[in-house]
Amino acid sequence: MLFVPGNNPGMLLNADVYGADALILDLEDAVAPAEKDAARVLVRNALSACGYQGCEIIVRINPLGSGYTGEDISAIVPLRPDMLMPTKVSDAGAIREVSRMMAEAERESGLAEGTVGLLPLIETAAGVERAYEIAAADPRVKAIFLGAEDLSSDLQAIRSKPGGEIAYARGRMVMAARAAGVDVYDTPFTDVNDEEGLRQDAELARALGFTGKAVISPRHVEAVNQAFTPGEGEIRYAREVMDAIEEGKRLGRGAVSLRGKMIDKPIVDRALRVLETARALGLGGAEHE
Amino acid sequence: MSKLVEGIAEAVRRSGLKDGMTVSFHHHLRNGDYVLNMVLEEAARQGIRGLTVQASSLFDAHLPLIDHMKSGVVTGLETDYMSGGIGREISRGVLGQPVIFRSHGGRPEAIESGRVHIDVAFIAAPAADPLGNANGVAGPAACGSLGYAMSDAKCADTVVLVTDHIEEYPLIPASIGEEDVDIVARVDSIGDPGGIVSGTTRITRDPVGLAIARYAAQVIEASGLCREGFSFQTGAGGASLAVTQYLKPIMKRLGVTGSFGLGGITGYMVDMLEEGYFRSLLDVQCFDLRAVQSIRDNPRHFEVSATRYAGPHAKSAAVDSLDVVVLGATEIDTDFNVNVHTDSNGYIIGGSGGHSDTAAGAKLAMIVAPLYRARLPIVVDRVLTRSTPGKTVDVLVTQRGIAVNPLRGDLEEKLRAFGLPVVDIHELKERAERVTGKPETVRPGGRVVARVEYRDGSIIDEIRSTEE
């Protein structure tokens, strides 16, 4: 997921060429108050002119109480982005309020209610504590997103590269999302020039259970894609698991073991997920040898 | 009589330089060169007029040349490339007769065949001995290869080395041999090291450039040319150099060792040599300090003349054995003709250099360019200046798709099978115009200020003055 400032025509123009699965066109923090109107018009035009084939489109809107939310929603919803990202979401009520405004905009532009989804940005202590409520607040919510910069400030914590200060929030977010049956995305790594740090941070996010991770620079897309791509060893092991299961079925065995370890349902589920991801990425996960 | 003289004044006098003669210069000192200005200033002081300058390339450091044109000291110019500052004045018509543009291979062909006659070659020599053996790897103005000076040294009536670093006889290695040299002129300084080579050439950080480079590397893999003995050339600018970064892991994965890297050489190509990706580098020009150090110290990093690099008349030239070349463009038309001479307003901003030579020689000639620059699409109906003929260009790689020359149906199939986004070039043009609109074409209508001579000696285009 690549953040793209909504007030930068050059970046909007080429946003879909870097290999990101999703683009987050930003009307919020990247845009100064004096430029909110201009950015809204620019993003609206970019959405209708650029097409952005092959990328999921998310528009980050200004938070309730900023005075811009209503205009953001009524300008953007008619262009049918995949999701809106409301910011500083701290309770389920905010989601229901935004959803209601979106329903109105959908009605006015002749769209079916629920066409546009929601990806709440959770970046306050209250929001993290209520992450499950937020994730389950409305059927529009397809995923939740952790914003570590504002959160650290709210926590009065010191933001660090290893991220010990957000360890609890990361765990809590993944827990809440999975419990509510939605996806969950990790905060961006903000040092544009630290490639090794980026790789470690992305691998940690994947290991913790995040669906994906946001980036603030096009140059980070490849490393994050790589971190979230199953490795050769992982794919091989997943295939071995599936082969062992097939073999067990053929021989009519109830319990199957591989390399001396019992293979139970969670292991099979994980293997299936790895193979499905590999297949989606064209890594040949479907082949059984 | 000793060959060694002190100062440029005595050298010019001894050279017999007279009105109407042709003087030649190489461009290995690039934007740090003092020699061209030094010689023309002295010629002017001695009252010599009507000179034709035969330079392998010109940079903005040579802007005093324009004043010599205005005063009549210089009345003719032949070159392979000129930077924008000089190009602007030429486009405005400062010179009475048209400039002749050649390519890096076409220039030595013209010289060695006698079509171009050089009366006096003034050859900047970073290191020389008193009898005229010279190289580019020692001295304060070390520039590495002296490949572009070699045909001048062989063919000029009089050869003057200009140096600020004399070593004891015999200087070894010698790129230019004493048998060809008449005069060795010692001067205080031949160039500014800061302008000669950059400390390090850096790969672009522009994410669009990197996206293009990634596609370009995939095109190379898909073409099937990246196999044992693979040979490769890339430019030093923009997305071109970044292709090496994406090519390395592909060569590693395929277990391929290349036979040679060619051309203007950067530190990135030196890395590839030292890391074993290529068995050798054939170097006609060094672009950075790493390349200069490497050509001095590594016997597998080898200096070649412009003729051996790209000469169309040579019995064979390295470009003829080249698998892949990655090139830039200011614009490309739907027939794949490429312009590297003029900008969108018709001003001269460059020249062929080795563009058309390598495109003609390489099995895969690839243009890498962003689909639009600022508000201008890269693909046009007809290029303003035809620098490189479309029939020698195989593929255009942009961030929004890859267009294959219809003459290369075989290649198109391979790229499609590889899953690359192959698009008709007309469609690419339309995609760009959907964003930028269709720009009005500027076609300067003044008199002819330059002619583009292709490597076979034919004139393939004319450049007109921007002043009506």
Side-chain angles (χ1 to χ4, degrees), chain A residues 12-19 49-50 52-53 192-193 218-219 222, chain B residues 204-208 210-211 214-215 246 372 374 399-400 431 434-435:
Chain A
L12 284 169
L13 203 53
N14 283 308
D16 55 338
V17 305
Y18 310 120
C50 293
Y52 296 133
Q53 283 169 8
V192 185
N193 295 318
R219 285 188 280 126
E222 202 176 354
Chain B
T204 181
R205 300 175 68 81
D206 164 37
V208 173
L210 292 174
R214 192 179 309 131
Y215 273 145
Y246 295 103
Y372 22 75
Q399 76 273 36
R400 295 206 172 274
R431 280 188 195 178
R434 274 203 289 275
V435 172

Side-chain angles (χ1 to χ4, degrees), chain A residues 180-205:
Chain A
V182 302
D183 284 336
V184 57
Y185 293 94
D186 191 32
T187 191
F189 184 75
T190 50
D191 185 343
V192 185
N193 295 318
D194 179 2
E195 298 195 3
E196 181 53 27
L198 168 68
R199 190 185 60 75
Q200 287 175 10
D201 199 47
E203 282 175 1
L204 173 65

Side-chain angles (χ1 to χ4, degrees), chain A residues 144-158:
Chain A
I144 53 176
F145 186 110
L146 172 64
E149 303 308 316
D150 283 86
L151 176 63
S152 314
S153 158
D154 196 27
L155 293 175
Q156 302 177 27
I158 295 166

Side-chain angles (χ1 to χ4, degrees), chain B residues 114-382:
Chain B
R115 279 199 296 126
V116 162
H117 180 83
I118 300 171
D119 294 294
V120 187
F122 288 92
I123 296 177
D129 68 28
L131 291 174
N133 296 297
N135 68 42
V137 298
C143 61
S145 176
L146 288 180
Y148 293 122
M150 291 177 179
S151 54
D152 303 38
K154 284 278 170 224
C155 301
D157 288 348
T158 302
V159 174
V160 181
L161 291 189
V162 184
T163 188
D164 54 11
H165 181 76
I166 300 270
E167 291 198 10
E168 277 182 26
Y169 181 88
L171 178 70
I172 293 171
S175 307
I176 287 164
E178 60 180 307
E179 69 276 18
D180 294 321
V181 176
D182 299 276
I183 298 164
V184 179
R186 176 158 43 194
V187 299
D188 291 339
S189 174
I190 61 167
D192 165 20
I196 297 170
V197 286
S198 54
T200 51
T201 319
R202 291 192 58 176
I203 282 183
T204 181
R205 300 175 68 81
D206 164 37
V208 173
L210 292 174
I212 296 167
R214 192 179 309 131
Y215 273 145
Q218 289 171 347
V219 168
I220 295 170
E221 181 177 3
S223 73
L225 290 167
C226 190
R227 49 177 165 29
E228 193 60 23
F230 171 64
S231 58
F232 178 67
Q233 175 169 346
T234 186
S240 309
L241 191 58
V243 177
T244 58
Q245 174 182 315
Y246 295 103
L247 189 58
K248 273 161 91 165
I250 293 173
M251 291 178 75
K252 195 167 194 172
R253 174 160 46 77
L254 298 177
V256 163
T257 304
S259 52
F260 67 93
L262 180 63
I265 297 294
T266 61
Y268 284 93
M269 292 301 285
V270 171
D271 287 342
M272 291 185 86
L273 174 69
E274 292 179 356
E275 290 162 19
Y277 289 93
F278 288 104
R279 291 202 304 275
S280 63
L281 298 179
L282 303 181
D283 185 342
V284 69
Q285 175 177 25
C286 297
F287 280 133
D288 56 24
L289 282 175
R290 262 199 40 75
V292 174
Q293 285 156 3
S294 168
I295 201 172
R296 185 186 62 210
D297 299 333
N298 188 341
R300 304 219 58 89
H301 181 164
F302 191 72
E303 178 185 46
V304 293
S305 68
T307 302
R308 197 191 292 184
Y309 165 49
H313 60 309
K315 290 177 181 172
S316 74
V319 292
D320 303 323
S321 296
L322 188 60
D323 285 321
V324 176
V325 65
V326 181
L327 297 164
T330 59
E331 50 177 15
I332 178 168
D333 66 26
T334 49
D335 292 325
F336 287 83
N337 295 301
V338 175
N339 175 11
V340 288
H341 276 92
T342 46
D343 69 11
S344 58
N345 292 315
Y347 284 99
I348 297 169
I349 50 154
S352 288
H355 201 282
S356 56
D357 298 311
T358 49
K363 293 185 186 71
L364 174 62
M366 186 177 351
I367 304 295
V368 293
L371 188 56
Y372 22 75
R373 283 199 182 95
R375 293 180 185 177
L376 292 171
I378 191 88
V379 187
V380 296
D381 288 322
R382 185 161 65 90

Side-chain angles (χ1 to χ4, degrees), chain A residues 94-259:
Chain A
I95 290 299
R96 284 192 284 269
E97 172 65 7
V98 170
S99 179
R100 190 191 55 71
M101 294 162 82
M102 288 166 73
E104 207 169 297
E106 283 166 342
R107 248 194 320 280
E108 278 169 20
S109 49
L111 296 174
E113 188 169 333
T115 302
V116 180
L118 274 171
L119 171 57
L121 173 52
I122 297 179
E123 49 188 340
T124 61
V128 172
E129 284 300 308
R130 296 185 191 120
Y132 174 77
E133 276 174 49
I134 294 167
D138 190 285
R140 284 186 200 271
V141 178
K142 309 292 183 222
I144 53 176
F145 186 110
L146 172 64
E149 303 308 316
D150 283 86
L151 176 63
S152 314
S153 158
D154 196 27
L155 293 175
Q156 302 177 27
I158 295 166
R159 186 82 179 96
S160 70
K161 281 187 185 175
E165 71 286 0
I166 57 165
Y168 170 77
R170 278 176 157 160
R172 176 96 191 209
M173 289 284 288
V174 173
M175 192 80 68
R178 297 307 176 199
V182 302
D183 284 336
V184 57
Y185 293 94
D186 191 32
T187 191
F189 184 75
T190 50
D191 185 343
V192 185
N193 295 318
D194 179 2
E195 298 195 3
E196 181 53 27
L198 168 68
R199 190 185 60 75
Q200 287 175 10
D201 199 47
E203 282 175 1
L204 173 65
R206 178 171 181 235
L208 289 174
F210 282 94
T211 316
K213 183 174 177 68
V215 297
I216 52 164
S217 163
R219 285 188 280 126
H220 281 183
V221 170
E222 202 176 354
V224 169
N225 280 349
Q226 245 163 35
F228 279 85
T229 303
E232 273 176 44
E234 246 178 298
I235 297 174
R236 205 178 315 120
Y237 179 71
R239 280 192 196 143
E240 283 174 21
V241 168
M242 297 315 294
D243 287 346
I245 290 289
E246 295 281 319
E247 180 74 2
K249 270 188 201 156
R250 202 171 56 77
L251 299 174
R253 282 192 194 144
V256 179
S257 71
L258 177 65
R259 297 180 196 168

